[in-house]
Each structure stands twice: as C-alpha cells, then as structure tokens.
Amino acid sequence: MRTVLLTGGGLGFIFLMTCLGGATVFFFRKSLPGKFQQIFLGFAAGVMIAASVWSLLIPAIEEAEAQGLAGWIPSAVGFSLGVVFLLGLDHVIPHLHQFSNLQEGIATNSKRSTLLFLAVTLHNIPEGMAVGLSFALAAQHDDPVMFSSAIALALGIGIQNFPEGAAISLPLRQEGTSPGKAFKLAFISGVVEPIFGVMAVLLAIWFTPIMPWLLSFAAGAMIYVVVEELIPEAHLNEHSHVGTLGVMAGFLIMMVLDVALG
C-alpha cells in the first residue's frame, strides 16, 4: 500500500504541476517573455539530463550488474531503443515546435494549436516513464533510500513541469485558442505522464529482469527530447547565455535533489 501511495503521489504530483502551469492562462493573456522561455526551457533540459544520469542510467547499470550482466549492455541497448522510439514518434505524429513553422511527422491539415499541443505531449512520455520506473525500482528492493531518490526525481520533474504547463497554454492563447480550451489541452498533455508511468510500472512488475533495459530506455527518450527540442529552443536560434545558465541551474538542482535525498 505504501508503494502504491508513493507511486501514485509522485505521478500525481508531476501531473498536478503541469495543470497548475497550464492554469496560468486564466491570469495572463500574453505568452512568456523570450528570456523567461529560454530560462525555463534550459532549466527543463538540465533537470532531464541530470535525471537521466543519476536516476536512470546509473541505477540501470547497477541493476544489470546485480543480475550478472555487463552493466553497459542493457544501458547502451535500452538507451538506443529509447532514442529510436522517440525518433519514430517524431516521424509519425504530426506536430509543430513553438518557434518553428515547419511541421514534422505525417502531413496533416490540423490547426497550429493542435500541432503545438502534440509537440509538448510527445516529450511528456519519457518523463512519466522515468518517475514510474524510479518508484518501481524502489519497490522491488523495498529500499527507503531508493524511495527518497524516486521522490527527488518526482520533485525535479514536477518543478520543471510548472513552466512547461504555462509554455503550453499561453502560446495556445496567443494563437487564438480560448483560455478554457488552452487549459484543457495542457491538462491532456499532462495526463500522458501518469498513463505512461503506470504502464512502465506494470511492465517492471510483470517482467522484473527487464528493469535495467526500461530505465535506460527512459533515459534515452529523455535525452532525445533534450537534444532535439529543449536546448535548441532554449537558444532561440542565437547564442544565449540565459538558456545555457538555465541548463546549468536545472542540472545542478536535480543533481542536488537526487544526491541529497537519495
């Protein structure tokens, strides 16, 4: 019961933070200033990089070695599969990044607001998986330290989800979407996190030996999002110290949370 409550709480927290960020559309009509967007995007990138290393790849290597495997094999293969998975979704699901007019994925006549929504929803998938797997790993070992590390991961992802939620709803409002619909789309984009988190937990429970592969898979998917989307957009097609410092701050905070709590 404790495991269920902690896992549900962690996934619920990151979802709630996305919703709270999306709710800013009811209080602000304009999108976030460029500098703030650079900071928030960079911060999210830093959090996801640190989480991929400390909360996913290192535990994956340790789990593989505990199973008698060479630690680098599941971590490298799982990481690569995570990248291929997100790359495949990028080519299949129609979407549009906020600072681009070039549609990606299968050609469609969908509205720009819908394509912007789909772009953000895509990179919420590995975040939910990462948090769910972190709690599943702690449950398998019944280790309080691992539970603390999972909570730290949920805190880090949740913190960066607040500006992320705002980065969904406010630009949609600027595109002419009503505040209610903009919030609903931010809400839906956040729903994929607990959904994929629960799916990852169930896989880990049913097929315990694949835990190292799943952890590495989530790490590869997260790093793909960072390199493909967050860092380029944090620089907004120009050299940006603000975006770079945002990455450093996010990495530092996630590292401190994981090491201090875990």
Side-chain angles (χ1 to χ4, degrees):
M1 181 59 68
R2 182 191 65 170
T3 299
V4 172
L5 290 175
L6 287 173
T7 305
L11 292 171
F13 175 72
I14 63 174
F15 170 58
L16 174 64
M17 293 299 285
T18 301
C19 293
L20 291 176
T24 57
V25 74
F26 295 112
F27 305 97
F28 302 98
R29 290 182 59 87
K30 297 181 179 180
S31 185
L32 295 171
K35 292 295 182 183
F36 283 103
Q37 291 190 26
Q38 289 175 301
I39 292 171
F40 292 148
L41 288 167
F43 182 83
V47 167
M48 293 173 74
I49 293 170
S52 296
V53 175
W54 270 274
S55 300
L56 299 173
L57 286 175
I58 292 177
I61 293 169
E62 292 174 347
E63 281 295 297
E65 291 175 344
Q67 294 177 13
L69 301 172
W72 65 270
I73 295 177
S75 57
V77 175
F79 186 94
S80 301
L81 291 175
V83 171
V84 170
F85 175 70
L86 258 293
L87 180 62
L89 291 182
D90 249 352
H91 281 83
V92 172
I93 297 178
H95 61 283
L96 183 70
H97 296 296
Q98 184 176 343
F99 303 107
S100 171
N101 291 316
L102 180 63
Q103 180 182 324
E104 299 181 28
I106 296 175
T108 177
N109 293 322
S110 299
K111 294 181 179 179
R112 179 179 170 87
S113 58
T114 302
L115 297 174
L116 288 170
F117 154 75
L118 289 173
V120 178
T121 303
L122 272 177
H123 82 235
N124 280 343
I125 292 174
E127 294 177 7
M129 291 183 64
V131 173
L133 288 171
S134 186
F135 279 101
L137 180 64
Q140 283 182 3
H141 293 272
D142 195 21
D143 188 338
V145 174
M146 287 186 174
F147 274 116
S148 295
S149 182
I151 292 171
L153 175 61
L155 284 173
I157 296 294
I159 290 169
Q160 63 97 18
N161 270 1
F162 181 84
E164 187 175 89
I168 301 170
S169 61
L170 292 177
L172 289 176
R173 180 76 175 109
Q174 289 292 99
E175 294 288 331
T177 306
S178 68
K181 185 176 180 180
F183 172 74
K184 183 172 73 173
L185 290 173
F187 177 93
I188 295 172
S189 75
V191 166
V192 304
E193 293 177 321
I195 289 175
F196 276 85
V198 170
M199 289 172 59
V201 169
L202 292 176
L203 277 174
I205 291 173
W206 291 335
F207 306 102
T208 302
I210 69 172
M211 176 61 84
W213 308 80
L214 288 174
L215 290 167
S216 303
F217 180 94
M222 287 180 71
I223 294 297
Y224 178 88
V225 169
V226 169
V227 176
E228 166 75 8
E229 179 180 347
L230 297 181
I231 288 181
E233 292 189 2
H235 287 83
L236 300 179
N237 299 319
E238 63 183 23
H239 182 69
S240 167
H241 291 301
V242 172
T244 300
L245 291 175
V247 175
M248 300 301 107
F251 187 95
L252 179 63
I253 290 174
M254 187 65 246
M255 179 184 69
V256 169
L257 280 174
D258 193 274
V259 176
L261 296 181

